[in-house]
Amino acid sequence: MTCQKFCVALLHWEFIYLTTALNLAYPITPWRFKLSCMPPNTTYDLPTGISKNTSNLNEHYEAVVKAKLNLSTTYFSNLSSKTTFYCCFWSKEDKNCSVHADNIDGKDFVSTVNSLVFQQIGANWNIQCWMKEDLKLFICYMESLFKNPFKTYDLKVHLLYVLPEVLEESPLVPQKSSFQIVQCNCSVHDNCECHVPVPTAKLNHTLLLYLKITSGGINFQSPLMSVQPINVVKPDPPLDLHMEITDAGHLKISWSSPTLVPFQLQYQVKYSENSSTNMRKADEIVSTTSLLIDSVLPGSSYEIQVRGKRLDGPGIWGDWSTPLIFTTQDVLYFPPKILTSVGSNVSFHCIYKSENEIVSSKKIVWWLNLAEKIPPRQYAIVGDRVSKVTFAHLNATKPRGKFTYDAVYCCNQQECHHRYAELYVIDVNINISCETDGYLTKMTCRWSANAIQSLMGSTLQLRYHRSSLYCSDVPSIHPMSQPKDCHLQRDGFYECIFQPIFLLSGYTMWIKINHSLGSLDSPPTCVVPDSVVKPLPPSSVKAEITVEIGLLKISWEKPVFPENNLKFQIRYGLNGKEVQWKMYEVYEAKSKSASVLVPDLCAVYAVQVRCRRLDGLGYWSNWSSPAYTVVMDIKVPTRGPEFWRIINEDTTKKERNVTLLWKPLMKNDSLCSVRKYVVKHHTSLNGTWSEDVGNHTKFTFLWTEQAHSVTVLAVNSIGASFVNFNLTFSWLMSKVNSVQSLSAYPLNSSCVLLSWTLLPSDYSLMYFVTEWKILNEDSEVKWLRIPPSVKKYYIHDHFIPIEKYQFSLYPVFMEGVGKPKIINSFPQDDIEKHQHDAGLYVIVPIIISSSILLLGTLLISHQRMKKLFWEDVPNPKNCSWAQGLNFQKRTDIL
Amino acid sequence: MAPSAKDRAREIAVNSCLSAPGRCLSCLSSPCRVWRWPLGRALLTEPRPEKHILGRKMRCGPLCRFLWLWPYLSYVEAVPIRKVQDDTKTLIKTIVTRISDISHTAVSSKQRVAGLDFIPGLHPVLSLSRMDQTLAIYQQILTSLHSRNVIQISNDLENLRDLLRLLASSKSCPLPRARGLESFESLGGVLEASLYSTEVVALSRLQAALQDMLGRLDLSPGC
């Protein structure tokens, strides 16, 4: 027995390579490693003469330890809590186990033992340590191996660590007291996780740590481990893993990088394809966040997983992402949806699988909206399986109900699969119009999105690029562009404001339409703010009718900006509810006023002025606030009033009262008001004198002399009228008869035609005056001046048909008023009535006469007949024999 | 009047040049030799080497340089120079009016303001390069004022300097982009302490300087 123990000791001595490597800690590897422990006095019966060659030894040794396996459980149960275990680390890559003893006390010795010894008879744990991707937490995870021979109830694990303050390449092992301790969280499955917070600044420092495990009353202590946290960073699984068929027909796997990782990652992608005709698995490592798989098949299932690891430098592979399964349809369109603009050319590809067989591309036909077969000339064959259809010069999609796209179908001869590709054609010709304000500090651009409202879910953004000066002739979308905030207005337009502006810079603008299907750009337009100025309206606008000249004069002040030459536009019109505007343009940049001819000098005119750059650039300003003319006297009255007279003759005296009557002058004649009327007299005896009548229109004076001439003048603020009417009252002339006949023909109730003939006369006729009034009534006498050359005249008035009118026609000579011709006349209806009455007056007497005659004739005839028949028969009463006889009595009685 | 096709072609060239001023005008900062083009255009090339290199091998350098300078060559006549001149004068008038509209810029000529010597004085500016230099300083000062009143004027000065560079190019003048005052940052304390004085004096002097430039532009200033 003693010999046997000695042999085992020798064997151990053969295996244990004692070193005096002080402060040597186990370097934590990026991969899993194992911790194995066993009591120090464990011995095995090993065959003698074993070679020191490790490789040969291992094989033989495995056989030996397997034989001893059943003993170990019993052995562990008999150990006391004070037993010190030798523990070592090993891994698949390095199966030599480095046994450390008293390593914390500074008297370490390390011996190398084949790990199989520990694996079979010792206590074993799998350990992995890593740094979380947020670079704040260091985690060590350990799990007990299933074959652990001891009881694992009451498992307690502590991790003791120290993170030196100083960055050292090979740090000294610190004192035991300097280690900090954290308790690890253990689950019922004997899995424990230990967390060590690591400051960001110490990521490159060497972290020294070891484990203390207590289980079933037995203490295990791991050897010292060392690691630089930055070298064992373990990224989280990639995010947003998804797959799609690309426009080119590839299966694109893409994902997002974990957000907290501070360095670039490499990714491992493993995928499997399962289709009715094919099955393949692959594993690829890429440095981008996507992977393309070609030759994607319809009706196939793909399962994908991705994990990440630091690209440059050491690191740990992160966990695999959750598997993602993607199944392709029986008909594959690529791209499945196209968003494009009007006028562009697009193509769809298709692979069609029918009854587990891929349809030959030659047999594929294309339909649009299941209603229209696309002409074969638009097809193209891309290989045996892929068919392509091309649409050229596309028109905008017309929405059909809720469907805002065209459905493109790939069909196998007469059979179309229910799946289709979607084609969205959007009219992106969005007109952007800009306007610079009158202060040249703000440019407002407006655009309407009505044309693209059919594209639901799209967002619009105005982008622009500013060139230092001017615009290019062909504006283009610049790669360096800026977005501009625009706000939707009530009128449906978006409004974007640039302030301050660069007046002469070229702003190239376009609308970017972002949609989940892609983005489109409207045709760019370039605007120089200086060329789209809308000036402020002219100020200090005044309007007046010029005195004496009689023109409408408008004056204004040009706006402060722009400094360019301006042209002006004037609109004017009679003031009223609806002004009928007339336009007048002024092209003289320096002009500050303009005069226009207006027909009515005595009316209120409304005037407005606006301006625009003379070179035609920019916009018209708004109209200025209206200015109004003031009605005032422009000139002396064009003429005096027309007047007539009423003569009241006093038969007892040889004098007459003459009352002059005139109609007030209208504005057109008075220009524009009458301040007073003046009656100017002239007689041979008294000469000339004037009388101020004021604003009255009637004036009476006494006519006493043979001849008396009067003139009525109109006076306004400018002066008295130059052209006036004269009237001479002459006793002599009042007897001159020059009107031979006068007739009045009523045409209707508002018009009577006067017609007359003249006698030859030696006097010079100035004009006629006709008077009319209702006969036998004390009604107002109306009068009218008639030119001397006419022979008939239409009098317009309100004539009462049943009334008799008296018409008088006065010839007015230079020498005086002649003798009038006076007639009484009736309106037409009255005359006709009288004509009817005249017939009645004739017929009734005739009838009465005839009746009397007939009655007379009858009376005479009666008398004659009486005489004829009764002359020979005597009256019995006159006979003597008939005396006393009653002839009325019957005689037959006799 | 609608611009002709030739004018439009010129404008394209102007923009290509203006959008990459370094490319167009980089030669202007170094010694250049001016060659007269047969059609009257000015061609800028670098000085030829003193020694002639023998050999028949074709040198692509001159050709490349020619192509490289082509936008600039086109640019000389790209925008009608008359339009550039008119725009320059109009913009100067606009800035002058803007300053006049700012109510507090009327400074008494009797009173001299001390301590603001970094603001250019009323010295006659005879050349385009001096104009550009002066405007650069004013632009630097106005930008640093952060006043709402003067931001627009600062932008106008930017445009005005671009126009002056265009005019200079039309005369084959080397006009490197002028920088402002190098010692300007050290004046931050002055600006902070006397913002009002600086704004008033700067705008007042700028107005006078612009009116002076307006007169000199009619006299065809030199480089």
Side-chain angles (χ1 to χ4, degrees):
Chain A
M1 187 69 183
T2 308
C3 181
Q4 191 179 8
K5 286 183 179 177
F6 179 74
C7 289
V8 171
L10 282 178
L11 182 64
H12 274 254
W13 194 251
E14 289 289 332
F15 279 93
I16 299 170
Y17 181 70
L18 186 64
T19 65
T20 55
L22 287 171
N23 306 327
L24 188 64
Y26 180 78
I28 291 177
T29 56
W31 49 85
R32 278 170 192 259
F33 55 94
K34 294 180 189 299
L35 172 67
S36 298
C37 299
M38 66 177 184
N41 54 352
T42 305
T43 56
Y44 296 95
D45 295 327
L46 294 175
T48 56
I50 294 173
S51 168
K52 290 180 181 177
N53 187 310
T54 309
S55 60
N56 293 332
L57 180 67
N58 285 344
E59 293 172 7
H60 184 72
Y61 187 69
E62 282 177 16
V64 174
V65 293
K66 281 178 184 173
K68 294 290 179 182
L69 183 61
N70 292 334
L71 301 174
S72 60
T73 308
T74 313
Y75 174 76
F76 267 74
S77 62
N78 295 329
L79 290 172
S80 70
S81 60
K82 301 288 183 182
T83 307
T84 303
F85 275 69
Y86 290 121
C87 294
C88 72
F89 292 120
W90 58 281
S91 65
K92 284 183 182 176
E93 287 74 17
D94 180 10
K95 292 194 174 180
N96 286 327
C97 201
S98 301
V99 178
H100 296 238
D102 293 328
N103 47 358
I104 310 304
D105 298 332
K107 295 177 182 178
D108 291 358
F109 69 92
V110 178
S111 59
T112 303
V113 182
N114 188 298
S115 61
L116 200 57
V117 175
F118 292 91
Q119 192 177 352
Q120 297 299 336
I121 65 171
N124 298 282
W125 290 273
N126 270 334
I127 297 178
Q128 188 173 22
C129 297
W130 69 89
M131 193 70 200
K132 267 185 76 74
E133 70 169 18
D134 60 359
L135 303 183
K136 289 179 180 173
L137 200 63
F138 182 83
I139 299 174
C140 273
Y141 172 81
M142 57 177 284
E143 59 181 0
S144 178
L145 285 180
F146 178 73
K147 292 189 290 185
N148 269 347
F150 60 93
K151 295 177 181 176
T152 58
Y153 63 87
D154 195 22
L155 178 65
K156 285 185 180 174
V157 181
H158 290 86
L159 187 143
L160 295 92
Y161 71 97
V162 64
L163 194 58
E165 292 295 325
V166 186
L167 181 61
E168 297 173 17
E169 285 189 2
S170 51
L172 294 171
V173 174
Q175 293 298 315
K176 199 171 184 176
S177 59
S178 60
F179 276 77
Q180 291 178 278
I181 186 165
V182 292
Q183 185 169 2
C184 306
N185 297 323
C186 296
S187 69
V188 292
H189 303 294
D190 301 335
N191 300 331
C192 297
E193 205 168 86
C194 316
H195 292 180
V196 178
V198 178
T200 309
K202 293 185 178 180
L203 286 172
N204 288 319
H205 293 209
T206 301
L207 175 67
L208 296 171
L209 66 158
Y210 67 95
L211 291 164
K212 275 187 176 177
I213 306 165
T214 306
S215 180
I218 303 170
N219 294 325
F220 302 93
Q221 180 172 304
S222 79
L224 193 64
M225 296 175 277
S226 70
V227 69
Q228 281 182 291
I230 194 69
N231 291 339
V232 288
V233 176
K234 180 182 175 183
D236 287 345
L239 308 169
D240 306 327
L241 180 63
H242 70 280
M243 282 178 277
E244 60 183 347
I245 306 290
T246 66
D247 295 356
H250 301 299
L251 178 65
K252 182 181 181 182
I253 307 162
S254 54
W255 57 89
S256 304
S257 173
T259 52
L260 298 172
V261 169
F263 38 70
Q264 201 178 349
L265 296 180
Q266 57 180 320
Y267 302 95
Q268 189 176 19
V269 184
K270 65 177 180 183
Y271 67 91
S272 61
E273 180 189 74
N274 187 7
S275 70
S276 58
T277 58
N278 192 19
M279 181 174 278
R280 60 173 170 168
K281 286 190 176 180
D283 192 338
E284 294 191 41
I285 292 181
V286 293
S287 58
T288 57
T289 56
S290 64
L291 175 70
L292 285 178
I293 301 173
D294 56 0
S295 305
V296 64
L297 294 173
S300 301
S301 174
Y302 294 85
E303 183 176 338
I304 312 286
Q305 276 185 291
V306 186
R307 65 176 182 175
K309 183 189 170 187
R310 186 175 176 180
L311 178 63
D312 300 317
I316 295 179
W317 279 110
D319 294 329
W320 287 103
S321 63
T322 310
L324 178 70
I325 296 171
F326 180 77
T327 305
T328 56
Q329 302 294 326
D330 284 344
V331 55
L332 281 184
Y333 293 98
F334 44 97
K337 296 177 183 179
I338 290 182
L339 172 67
T340 189
S341 56
V342 167
S344 59
N345 304 335
V346 296
S347 295
F348 284 102
H349 296 77
C350 165
I351 305 175
Y352 199 134
K353 184 181 178 185
S354 178
E355 295 173 357
N356 290 332
E357 284 192 6
I358 305 287
V359 176
S360 168
S361 57
K362 293 177 184 174
K363 293 182 179 177
I364 288 177
V365 294
W366 294 81
W367 280 71
L368 189 66
N369 298 325
L370 280 180
E372 177 188 349
K373 185 180 179 183
I374 300 167
R377 64 174 180 276
Q378 292 178 230
Y379 305 168
I381 294 168
V382 185
D384 296 336
R385 301 183 301 177
V386 181
S387 176
K388 177 174 130 180
V389 65
T390 301
F391 300 91
H393 309 299
L394 283 164
N395 295 321
T397 306
K398 292 175 183 171
R400 287 177 300 281
K402 65 178 181 181
F403 303 104
T404 57
Y405 52 80
D406 282 314
V408 180
Y409 288 86
C410 168
C411 306
N412 176 17
Q413 302 287 13
Q414 301 300 318
E415 176 196 82
C416 294
H417 194 276
H418 62 84
R419 290 180 58 82
Y420 52 85
E422 295 174 12
L423 175 60
Y424 299 81
V425 187
I426 306 298
D427 186 358
V428 294
N429 287 310
I430 300 173
N431 182 34
I432 303 172
S433 61
C434 298
E435 187 180 294
T436 302
D437 72 335
Y439 299 103
L440 307 184
T441 57
K442 184 172 76 173
M443 180 168 75
T444 305
C445 293
R446 287 165 56 84
W447 49 278
S448 171
N450 289 337
I452 48 175
Q453 278 181 347
S454 60
L455 190 61
M456 297 295 287
S458 59
T459 58
L460 306 175
Q461 185 185 51
L462 183 139
R463 301 193 70 86
Y464 75 98
H465 167 75
R466 184 180 71 83
S467 58
S468 56
L469 278 180
Y470 304 128
C471 284
S472 65
D473 192 40
V474 184
S476 59
I477 291 176
H478 200 276
M480 300 292 287
S481 64
Q482 292 177 272
K484 189 72 189 170
D485 284 338
C486 301
H487 301 284
L488 185 60
Q489 305 296 302
R490 286 183 179 177
D491 57 3
F493 278 78
Y494 283 90
E495 199 171 274
C496 334
I497 295 175
F498 295 83
Q499 190 177 27
I501 53 173
F502 289 84
L503 261 181
L504 293 170
S505 293
Y507 288 78
T508 304
M509 294 174 273
W510 63 93
I511 306 298
K512 193 167 193 66
I513 303 149
N514 289 310
H515 191 265
S516 57
L517 297 176
S519 67
L520 296 174
D521 293 316
S522 70
T525 180
C526 186
V527 177
V528 177
D530 183 58
S531 65
V532 290
V533 174
K534 182 179 181 179
L536 292 174
S539 58
S540 307
V541 177
K542 291 174 185 166
E544 60 172 342
I545 303 290
T546 50
V547 176
E548 296 295 344
I549 302 167
L551 294 173
L552 173 61
K553 183 183 177 185
I554 306 107
S555 61
W556 62 87
E557 291 287 336
K558 76 178 273 298
V560 176
F561 297 116
E563 289 289 348
N564 308 75
N565 290 333
L566 299 178
K567 62 181 176 184
F568 301 91
Q569 204 170 50
I570 300 165
R571 68 175 184 183
Y572 61 97
L574 286 172
N575 189 31
K577 279 187 178 177
E578 288 187 5
V579 182
Q580 300 291 319
W581 295 107
K582 290 183 178 177
M583 305 295 284
Y584 185 78
E585 291 204 348
V586 180
Y587 294 96
E588 284 293 325
K590 306 284 183 190
S591 293
K592 290 186 174 181
S593 67
S595 296
V596 293
L597 197 62
V598 286
D600 191 350
L601 298 178
C602 298
V604 176
Y605 282 90
V607 177
Q608 287 180 297
V609 187
R610 65 179 181 175
C611 59
R612 184 182 188 173
R613 275 175 63 164
L614 189 59
D615 56 13
L617 291 176
Y619 302 97
W620 282 107
S621 71
N622 288 332
W623 289 105
S624 65
S625 302
Y628 300 96
T629 57
V630 177
V631 176
M632 52 187 280
D633 292 339
I634 308 299
K635 298 178 180 178
V636 296
T638 54
R639 61 174 178 82
E642 294 176 0
F643 64 95
W644 188 234
R645 88 295 177 269
I646 296 172
I647 300 175
N648 293 319
E649 196 169 356
D650 188 350
T651 52
T652 60
K653 299 178 181 177
K654 203 175 183 181
E655 58 184 27
R656 298 174 182 178
N657 275 327
V658 178
T659 300
L660 300 180
L661 306 167
W662 61 89
K663 299 165 187 171
L665 271 186
M666 303 303 289
K667 282 185 177 178
N668 287 347
D669 295 322
S670 63
L671 295 177
C672 293
S673 65
V674 175
R675 185 168 289 180
K676 62 181 180 180
Y677 296 100
V678 173
V679 177
K680 198 172 175 182
H681 301 264
H682 179 78
T683 60
S684 56
L685 191 63
N686 294 327
T688 303
W689 73 99
S690 297
E691 287 183 87
D692 194 338
V693 184
N695 274 326
H696 299 291
T697 55
K698 188 185 283 185
F699 176 70
T700 304
F701 67 96
L702 197 61
W703 172 22
T704 56
E705 296 189 34
Q706 275 292 324
H708 191 133
S709 296
V710 289
T711 305
V712 181
L713 291 77
V715 181
N716 64 13
S717 61
I718 307 293
S721 55
F722 296 125
V723 180
N724 301 299
F725 294 94
N726 296 322
L727 204 57
T728 301
F729 304 101
S730 167
W731 292 103
L732 184 63
M733 291 302 294
S734 63
K735 294 173 183 171
V736 174
N737 187 11
S738 66
V739 182
Q740 186 177 24
S741 65
L742 175 66
S743 306
Y745 302 100
L747 301 178
N748 52 43
S749 62
S750 61
C751 185
V752 168
L753 173 64
L754 272 188
S755 171
W756 60 89
T757 58
L758 294 177
L759 293 167
S761 173
D762 297 332
Y763 301 98
S764 54
L765 183 66
M766 289 197 298
Y767 52 88
F768 296 103
V769 171
T770 181
E771 279 183 359
W772 68 95
K773 66 173 184 177
I774 297 174
L775 197 62
N776 300 326
E777 271 189 23
D778 193 15
S779 64
E780 180 193 6
V781 176
K782 295 180 180 178
W783 60 274
L784 193 68
R785 196 173 67 88
I786 300 173
S789 56
V790 299
K791 293 289 195 308
K792 58 183 177 182
Y793 199 81
Y794 293 93
I795 301 173
H796 297 277
D797 193 10
H798 181 65
F799 296 101
I800 303 169
I802 60 170
E803 295 289 351
K804 284 183 182 177
Y805 282 83
Q806 183 184 69
F807 293 92
S808 308
L809 186 68
Y810 291 84
V812 180
F813 303 104
M814 290 284 287
E815 296 81 2
V817 180
K819 184 180 180 183
K821 187 73 175 178
I822 300 171
I823 60 166
N824 294 331
S825 187
F826 309 94
Q828 185 67 33
D829 292 346
D830 200 24
I831 292 169
E832 286 176 1
K833 184 182 171 187
H834 280 80
Q835 284 174 346
H836 292 303
D837 290 349
L840 189 65
Y841 292 152
V842 172
I843 290 168
V844 169
I846 289 173
I847 292 171
I848 292 170
S849 303
S850 300
S851 301
I852 293 170
L853 189 63
L854 183 61
L855 187 63
T857 305
L858 285 174
L859 286 173
I860 293 169
S861 301
H862 178 73
Q863 289 298 327
R864 292 253 178 156
M865 288 297 287
K866 196 174 177 180
K867 281 180 180 178
L868 183 66
F869 291 105
W870 290 97
E871 191 174 7
D872 294 331
V873 180
N875 190 350
K877 289 181 178 177
N878 295 331
C879 297
S880 58
W881 56 276
Q883 292 288 327
L885 289 176
N886 186 1
F887 289 98
Q888 291 178 343
K889 196 175 176 180
R890 287 179 59 179
T891 57
D892 54 351
I893 303 170
L894 295 176
Chain B
M1 190 176 66
S4 65
K6 190 178 178 186
D7 291 343
R8 287 199 298 271
R10 288 170 175 173
E11 287 184 12
I12 296 169
V14 166
N15 285 302
S16 60
C17 185
L18 290 173
S19 58
R23 187 179 63 176
C24 295
L25 303 172
S26 60
C27 178
L28 301 177
S29 57
S30 58
C32 294
R33 185 172 294 172
V34 179
W35 297 84
R36 281 290 155 195
W37 207 239
L39 294 175
R41 293 181 181 134
L43 169 63
L44 304 183
T45 63
E46 291 183 359
R48 290 180 179 178
E50 292 298 322
K51 288 184 180 178
H52 182 69
I53 300 170
L54 296 175
R56 289 176 178 274
K57 187 179 177 183
M58 183 183 172
R59 296 179 62 203
C60 68
L63 177 62
C64 293
R65 197 167 296 139
F66 175 80
L67 293 173
W68 186 52
L69 285 172
W70 178 248
Y72 166 71
L73 299 175
S74 309
Y75 152 84
V76 173
E77 289 192 352
V79 169
I81 201 64
R82 185 76 191 164
K83 174 176 168 50
V84 178
Q85 287 172 341
D86 290 346
D87 282 344
T88 307
K89 289 176 188 172
T90 306
L91 187 55
I92 289 176
K93 289 178 192 169
T94 302
I95 301 171
V96 168
T97 311
R98 281 198 207 281
I99 296 172
S100 300
D101 276 5
I102 299 173
S103 58
H104 59 263
T105 53
V107 181
S108 169
S109 57
K110 294 177 181 176
Q111 208 67 24
R112 183 179 170 277
V113 182
L116 298 176
D117 299 332
F118 60 92
I119 302 175
L122 300 177
H123 308 297
V125 182
L126 299 171
S127 65
L128 290 172
S129 60
R130 285 290 301 157
M131 288 182 191
D132 187 42
Q133 178 64 40
T134 306
L135 294 178
I137 296 170
Y138 277 115
Q139 192 185 357
Q140 191 180 20
I141 294 168
L142 295 186
T143 307
S144 66
L145 290 175
H146 302 297
S147 166
R148 203 179 62 178
N149 287 331
V150 299
I151 290 175
Q152 182 59 55
I153 297 175
S154 176
N155 285 2
D156 292 338
L157 289 181
E158 175 85 18
N159 273 162
L160 182 57
R161 291 179 62 203
D162 288 331
L163 288 169
L164 288 178
R165 292 166 61 74
L166 215 53
L167 285 175
S169 301
S170 72
K171 297 181 177 186
S172 307
C173 294
L175 189 62
R177 189 147 189 94
R179 298 176 180 180
L181 293 170
E182 291 191 359
S183 59
F184 190 75
E185 287 186 4
S186 62
L187 299 169
V190 177
L191 287 176
E192 212 167 291
S194 51
L195 214 52
Y196 178 79
S197 304
T198 310
E199 182 172 319
V200 168
V201 174
L203 288 176
S204 173
R205 290 186 188 173
L206 172 62
Q207 192 178 34
L210 288 171
Q211 281 165 337
D212 179 58
M213 285 179 199
L214 192 61
R216 293 193 185 279
L217 281 174
D218 289 330
L219 306 175
S220 187
C223 294

